[in-house]
Amino acid sequence: MNGFYTFTLAASVLALSACDSGEARMKKAEELQRSVLTLDTHTDTPMRLWREDYHIEKDNPSGCIDFPKMRKGSLDVESFGIFTWQGGRDTAFCNKAYRRGLETLAKVMELQDRFPDQVGIVSTPDDMYRLKREGRLGILPTIENSTLIGNDISRIGELYDRGIRIFGLVHSYNNDICDSSSDKNGPEFGGLSEFGENVVRELNRVGGIIDVSHASDSTFFDVIRLSKAPVVASHSSVRAVAEHDRNFSDEMLDALKENGGVIQICILADYVRNCPENPEYDRKYAGLRRAYRELPENASQEKRDSILNALSVLKEVYPDQKVLVTDYVDHIDYVVKRIGIDYVGIGTDFDGGGGIDDCKDASQLINITAELMDRGYTREDIEKIWGGNFIRVFREVLECAGN
């Protein structure tokens, strides 16, 4: 046998072994993930429900979330965020936003009636486990940007009664409740406003989960000081791993542990990895992100998709800007080492900009579990990360309600 043939045969055997090993690895990850309750605490998928060409029961090539993708990625429960763009703070705008929010929420709730064999609405932690046993997917309705309540605090109770369980206080701009982490004009209240303090108390009273993602650092610390119940960051990451004003500092992580809350690590690339400097890429990327943020509330989904697709194309043109699951799990590792396994989870921000190069939609979520297993996380650990920690907070919030 000549040397070339021997080398080629050996290389083929090694390649085949690596393939077998990779397949075995993914099969083991799939089996583990299917055996635990899996929950993602933030998506912007409800915006797509207004589109005539979007059918959630089918595989939609342009979207990150639909029933087939959730099944393929073994995702049991998805949080459907009702998003309010910060287009104004006057009474007329808030009333319009509230009506639009209720209409979008109605579309979310109707999914249970349209597809009763496939999906159910989650109102309590026990609903998640029941739906999983029944082989149905769970939908957890949430609010992103509570500016839609205007100055009418009674709307919190109304939204809760209609099915909302997580209330994001703010988005990219300050509102009447609090300061945002991203408002280009800087802080307005230095944290919570007086009205915002009443919002926190009311959410504690009704049993609404307070979501501090997008809130400024000062707002976060005000909420932690005031809230009687643990809080969540539904889609945030870690500042020590990737420097970004949307991410949590070490001091915030420490305070979150004291509060008993949980940070759900976001898959949006900006929050996951600080890529090598590339001025040309940065200019194009910043322009597209700015265009997305500045879209008016009534912008078509086609326009939103065109910007998100352009962002994806940029990563192909500039491969050194790719962000991977290994980068993502670095954030989980950091939280675990800093404050413990009980305070971290997963919140993708799919259909709102979330997605990285090897986890672009719900069908690829098992890649996260495989990486966690590679790093030595146990089944119990992964169960906590994929939903157990959030469910603990959910239960504690309900226990605090009315007190």
Side-chain angles (χ1 to χ4, degrees), residues 379-398:
R379 182 189 186 281
E380 181 182 3
D381 294 335
I382 293 170
E383 186 172 22
K384 287 183 176 183
I385 292 167
W386 262 118
N389 291 332
F390 174 84
I391 290 169
R392 169 187 59 79
V393 170
F394 197 168
R395 293 191 189 282
E396 291 177 9
V397 168
L398 294 178

Side-chain angles (χ1 to χ4, degrees), residues 99-284:
R99 289 192 298 271
R100 177 72 170 188
L102 292 180
E103 291 169 355
T104 305
L105 177 58
K107 287 183 174 291
V108 172
M109 304 301 281
E110 286 169 3
L111 294 175
Q112 181 172 244
D113 297 326
R114 291 173 57 199
F115 310 105
D117 295 334
Q118 296 191 58
V119 70
I121 300 298
V122 170
S123 297
T124 70
D126 290 340
D127 288 340
M128 301 187 200
Y129 292 104
R130 173 181 55 79
L131 289 167
K132 183 175 176 65
R133 288 194 302 270
E134 294 171 355
R136 294 196 287 162
L137 303 170
I139 292 177
L140 177 63
T142 73
I143 291 292
E144 183 174 32
N145 195 5
S146 292
T147 194
L148 84 172
I149 70 173
N151 288 299
D152 185 354
I153 205 165
S154 68
R155 287 177 174 174
I156 292 174
E158 181 177 353
L159 287 166
Y160 187 90
D161 290 343
R162 288 174 179 261
I164 296 295
R165 289 299 177 265
I166 304 176
F167 291 75
L169 298 180
V170 68
H171 195 247
S172 296
Y173 301 93
N174 304 334
N175 60 21
D176 287 345
I177 296 170
C178 63
D179 294 334
S180 165
S181 66
S182 308
D183 196 307
K184 60 182 179 294
N185 294 317
E188 183 175 341
F189 306 107
L192 286 169
S193 67
E194 183 177 350
F195 176 67
E197 292 183 350
N198 290 331
V199 167
V200 169
R201 295 187 185 99
E202 180 66 1
L203 286 169
N204 282 172
R205 187 190 70 80
V206 303
I209 300 169
I210 299 171
D211 178 6
V212 293
S213 283
H214 285 287
S216 69
D217 292 12
S218 296
T219 297
F220 167 81
F221 285 112
D222 279 354
V223 172
I224 292 295
R225 170 183 54 81
L226 190 61
S227 179
K228 296 180 179 179
V231 305
V232 305
S234 68
H235 56 302
S236 295
S237 297
V238 177
R239 206 171 291 172
V241 180
E243 180 66 32
H244 197 288
D245 54 19
R246 275 278 286 107
N247 288 350
F248 270 36
S249 68
D250 286 354
E251 293 74 19
M252 294 168 76
L253 290 174
D254 295 343
L256 186 73
K257 178 178 181 178
E258 290 298 314
N259 167 264
V262 61
I263 178 172
Q264 305 287 111
I265 303 299
C266 184
I267 296 183
L268 200 149
D270 276 3
Y271 309 159
V272 174
R273 177 181 171 227
N274 296 136
C275 294
E277 290 188 10
N278 186 320
E280 184 178 10
Y281 170 86
D282 291 343
R283 177 177 56 80
K284 293 177 180 178

